Amino acid sequence: VVSMIENKQNVNGYGIRLHKVVLQDFKNIHNGEVVIDSNKDGADFASQADIIGIYGQNGSGKTSLIEALALLKSILSGNVVDTKYTDCVAVGKPFSYLEFTFHIGTPNEGVEKTVVYSFKISKVSAAFVNDNLLAGGSSEPDRIRIFDEILSVSGMFDGEKLRLQPIVRT
């Protein structure tokens, strides 16, 4: 799935579209959902590219959405997650929840599979190592903890329709 997302199109004729983003306690967003209805003619995988614009009032969450997508890209790419994301957990909250829904399909047949990837993030103080407080603190930056990852899928598999269900939990 990761390589298909990175290549976006033409993996055995399949394409991938980000369909929905759900953010909870992420920066200034208490509970938000963005549905990206990117089809022009009723097919999620039309032959023409789409342009999506994001607009809204100051403080409405535009930058938070972009940062959530950058965090997703970093995680799916297997990169070390930048410590700047420790500041994305809403003030006073123990963690943030992020959920991304993708549709996988072909231009001729439309959506064939749905993939939902969700996870939580929290800040881990550098003064704590293995749940033990270090004497004198630490000069290291705080780290981000990614946990409760769930990868769920639905769609046609080997001729059978599979309802949305988790296939990986961490």
Side-chain angles (χ1 to χ4, degrees):
V1 171
V2 173
S3 65
M4 290 174 68
I5 291 170
E6 288 175 353
N7 294 329
K8 297 180 199 154
Q9 191 72 23
N10 296 327
V11 179
N12 296 327
Y14 283 84
I16 295 180
R17 296 276 178 135
L18 178 61
H19 175 69
K20 182 170 72 170
V21 178
V22 175
L23 303 175
Q24 295 174 350
D25 297 326
F26 187 81
K27 295 187 74 170
N28 64 330
I29 299 173
H30 172 65
N31 190 12
E33 179 177 305
V34 175
V35 176
I36 304 168
D37 188 12
S38 61
N39 58 34
K40 296 181 179 100
D41 58 5
D44 255 349
F45 298 93
S47 59
Q48 298 177 2
D50 295 318
I51 297 174
I52 295 179
I54 301 172
Y55 64 93
Q57 296 177 334
N58 290 344
S60 63
K62 301 178 298 291
T63 301
S64 296
L65 175 64
I66 298 303
E67 287 186 356
L69 294 172
L71 176 59
L72 173 70
K73 179 182 177 186
S74 181
I75 292 169
L76 292 180
S77 298
N79 296 331
V80 173
V81 177
D82 195 310
T83 58
K84 71 180 181 182
Y85 293 108
T86 59
D87 293 330
C88 290
V89 177
V91 174
K93 300 294 181 176
F95 61 85
S96 298
Y97 172 80
L98 296 87
E99 177 182 291
F100 302 89
T101 302
F102 298 91
H103 286 169
I104 302 173
T106 62
N108 298 334
E109 299 176 24
V111 176
E112 292 187 1
K113 294 173 178 48
T114 298
V115 175
V116 180
Y117 176 56
S118 64
F119 57 92
K120 295 175 184 171
I121 62 170
S122 66
K123 178 191 274 189
V124 177
S125 173
F128 286 88
V129 174
N130 298 327
D131 296 326
N132 294 314
L133 181 62
L134 296 177
S138 171
S139 61
E140 294 291 318
D142 292 337
R143 291 179 279 162
I144 188 167
R145 177 175 159 234
I146 301 167
F147 62 104
D148 288 350
E149 291 177 284
I150 300 174
L151 182 67
S152 302
V153 298
S154 69
M156 296 299 291
F157 291 88
D158 296 327
E160 292 186 37
K161 185 169 177 109
L162 179 67
R163 293 173 51 203
L164 189 65
Q165 60 183 285
I167 59 170
V168 175
R169 287 180 188 259
T170 66

